[in-house]
Amino acid sequence: MNLFRERWGSLRTVSVVADWVWLKEGELKDLLAANAEAFGIVDEDRWSLFRNAPPAEDARAGYSAALTCQNGQTVHTLAGAQTLAVTSMIPVVGGAEKSVGYQPTISLIQEGAALQVTPISNRSGKFVTIDVHSRVSLVKSVERNKHEGDGEVEAIVSSIDRPEVLTQRLSTTLRVPVGQTILVGGMTFEGKPTAVDPNLYLFVTVVIQELRDDLEEPKAEEKAPEVGG
């Protein structure tokens, strides 16, 4: 804690609220503030209405995260499901009869959202420079190939999982005003998108708190004892 105080000269903590939202192009334009000083500033009234409105029947659920850290600290959060998948088979020969067996190769697949941020407040506390790293992964269910026949090779091939993982990664550094929702970025998510598929966009809101109740009280100097003459 003292290292942060000495380096940044303050006792500020920074809270970052992140929202990954599925939007179509027209919906994104409706959320952005008109005649804003910079691109990406969100109209707060429209954002509040959008967040509080009941979701449509065909709406895709997004992701949310909230982190609080010291000014200049790097923090990370990860959420989602982890699944195991058999991705290959390694032939193994052993025994007196030199029989052949197969050892499965199992891989861990992470599905969900991950976020890493490093916020640095300026002296006035009105703006924050934030380094953002985002990753969202979705596992699509793929039917296994079914081979006719009872051959050993066909049985092995049909037991191998071949999951299709869709991943969106975003890394950037930007300067954002405190207390305003900002569009960080986004892009097409599907590998083969259609005209009706929404895109995944990341929005962040940054808030600063000034903590002054944990300052160490200066120690009173001890008075040297008087020496009698």
Side-chain angles (χ1 to χ4, degrees):
M1 298 291 288
N2 290 331
L3 291 177
F4 286 110
R5 296 169 185 164
E6 293 174 3
R7 181 172 183 180
W8 305 114
S10 73
L11 301 178
R12 291 172 182 162
T13 61
V14 183
S15 298
V16 180
V17 178
D19 291 286
W20 292 265
V21 184
W22 296 96
L23 295 172
K24 296 181 180 179
E25 196 68 25
E27 295 173 328
L28 175 64
K29 292 180 180 179
D30 291 339
L31 287 177
L32 298 181
N35 302 322
E37 297 179 357
F39 176 79
I41 297 179
V42 176
D43 185 283
E44 294 300 330
D45 293 334
R46 297 176 186 175
W47 178 255
S48 179
L49 290 174
F50 173 78
R51 298 298 292 166
N52 295 325
E57 294 182 358
D58 58 345
R60 301 178 64 174
Y63 302 89
S64 297
L67 294 169
T68 299
C69 61
Q70 288 289 322
N71 186 29
Q73 185 180 7
T74 299
V75 289
H76 174 269
T77 184
L78 173 69
Q82 291 184 338
T83 58
L84 296 176
V86 178
T87 55
S88 66
M89 293 283 189
I90 302 175
V92 179
V93 180
E97 299 179 357
K98 302 297 182 181
S99 58
V100 179
Y102 292 90
Q103 176 182 345
T105 300
I106 300 177
S107 300
L108 180 65
I109 300 176
Q110 174 73 39
E111 182 178 15
L115 178 69
Q116 176 180 305
V117 294
T118 306
I120 301 176
S121 169
N122 66 347
R123 290 289 181 178
S124 66
K126 296 181 179 180
F127 293 90
V128 171
T129 299
I130 180 172
D131 184 65
V132 182
H133 300 274
S134 165
R135 186 189 75 235
V136 176
S137 299
L138 296 178
V139 178
K140 296 186 66 176
S141 58
V142 178
E143 294 185 0
R144 297 179 179 179
N145 295 329
K146 296 182 179 180
H147 298 268
E148 296 182 357
D150 298 328
E152 184 179 12
V153 175
E154 288 81 0
I156 293 173
V157 171
S158 63
S159 65
I160 297 177
D161 298 319
R162 286 171 291 275
E164 181 181 353
V165 182
L166 301 178
T167 302
Q168 183 197 78
R169 295 177 181 267
L170 190 154
S171 297
T172 186
T173 302
L174 66 161
R175 186 170 181 259
V176 301
V178 173
Q180 287 188 323
T181 303
I182 299 294
L183 169 65
V184 177
M187 63 182 300
T188 303
F189 199 92
E190 298 290 339
K192 297 180 180 179
T194 64
V196 297
D197 287 333
N199 301 328
L200 185 63
Y201 295 95
L202 173 61
F203 298 85
V204 296
T205 307
V206 179
V207 180
I208 292 178
Q209 298 82 221
E210 191 82 22
L211 304 178
R212 293 190 175 277
D213 58 348
D214 62 343
L215 287 172
E216 296 182 359
E217 295 293 337
K219 296 182 180 180
E221 296 183 0
E222 296 182 359
K223 187 177 181 181
E226 296 182 359
V227 179

